[in-house]
Amino acid sequence: MRVLLATPCSVATVLVAATALGVLHGCSTPGAGSGADSDVPYVTATDPTRKVPVLARCVAADPEGEVILHPGSVSATVPTRLLGAELADAENLTVVERAIVAYDGTAHVTGIALNYPPLKDAGMVGSMGSWTTRHTLVGADLDRADGQQALLIAIRLTDPGEPGHLTGILLTQDTGAGADEMILRQQVLVMPAGEQCDVEAVADTTAWTR
């Protein structure tokens, strides 16, 4: 029985907020935060209502080829140990850091911070929490008293000159009955630093989105 609960993403919500981390985007709606001048609907796989191709969110990495994913938040109803967080269907991407941070913000927000590491003592968007208060995800023990925890997965382009992509984060937990896995969908195309997320690049993501 899964007792680590992933927070669902509301397709009606868009959050685009400038912070010291860069820009943190919330759930996509048509044309929102696409980074391209187009009427193409930019939607995510969490949107079950639109009868259009599923397209990934596209972002350009920082100069080191890195970004920070926030694929969602989790909360534990019984004592739970987090065992790992791996990239799902990833190409040309590796994990730099896996972290969690106490999350007091809006429950359904997901997003991408465009710089890693962020500026010293930078706050996260809304009241998500401070980057400096994060804890290592692997081996973290959570219980009900810990409340909601945001996942922060820093990734890097393996070849900084080529794009990379993934379809989400595979989170592994153990509540005492053995390992259990859950997928947090976050379909992202990561372009090399300085490259544009044009309409053609985003349209091509239908070859690997789900």
Side-chain angles (χ1 to χ4, degrees):
M1 178 178 65
R2 176 168 293 136
V3 294
L4 187 65
L5 306 177
T7 303
C9 182
S10 169
V11 298
T13 298
V14 178
L15 176 63
V16 181
T19 72
L21 292 176
V23 178
L24 186 66
H25 298 283
C27 305
S28 298
T29 56
S34 64
D37 184 13
S38 170
D39 292 328
V40 175
Y42 286 77
V43 300
T44 70
T46 59
D47 183 347
T49 61
R50 300 186 182 281
K51 305 301 182 183
V52 295
V54 174
L55 303 173
R57 179 169 296 285
C58 181
V59 296
D62 69 12
E64 287 71 43
E66 298 166 339
V67 298
I68 304 172
L69 303 178
H70 168 44
S73 58
V74 297
S75 56
T77 58
V78 300
T80 301
R81 172 162 291 187
L82 301 182
L83 302 178
E86 302 300 330
L87 306 182
D89 303 314
E91 181 174 314
N92 195 37
L93 292 170
T94 56
V95 176
V96 180
E97 182 177 352
R98 302 167 176 84
I100 55 173
V101 65
Y103 179 82
D104 296 322
T106 305
H108 51 248
V109 170
T110 67
I112 304 167
L114 303 184
N115 295 281
Y116 172 82
L119 299 177
K120 184 178 180 181
D121 298 329
M124 301 295 282
V125 75
S127 55
M128 183 188 298
S130 170
W131 173 257
T132 59
T133 67
R134 73 194 188 282
H135 301 281
T136 299
L137 182 150
V138 178
D141 291 313
L142 301 177
D143 59 29
R144 190 184 296 273
D146 292 308
Q148 196 167 219
Q149 299 285 318
L151 277 65
L152 302 175
I153 312 297
I155 59 174
R156 175 187 297 135
L157 290 169
T158 307
D159 180 345
E162 295 293 329
H165 65 252
L166 77 160
T167 62
I169 299 296
L170 185 65
L171 183 66
T172 308
Q173 59 152 341
D174 186 358
T175 61
D180 184 29
E181 295 180 338
M182 61 188 298
I183 184 74
L184 291 92
R185 287 283 173 210
Q186 190 176 33
Q187 306 196 135
V188 181
L189 171 65
V190 182
M191 301 296 287
E195 293 199 13
Q196 297 295 315
C197 290
D198 58 26
V199 171
E200 183 179 357
V202 176
D204 286 346
T205 66
T206 56
W208 50 266
T209 52
R210 294 173 177 243

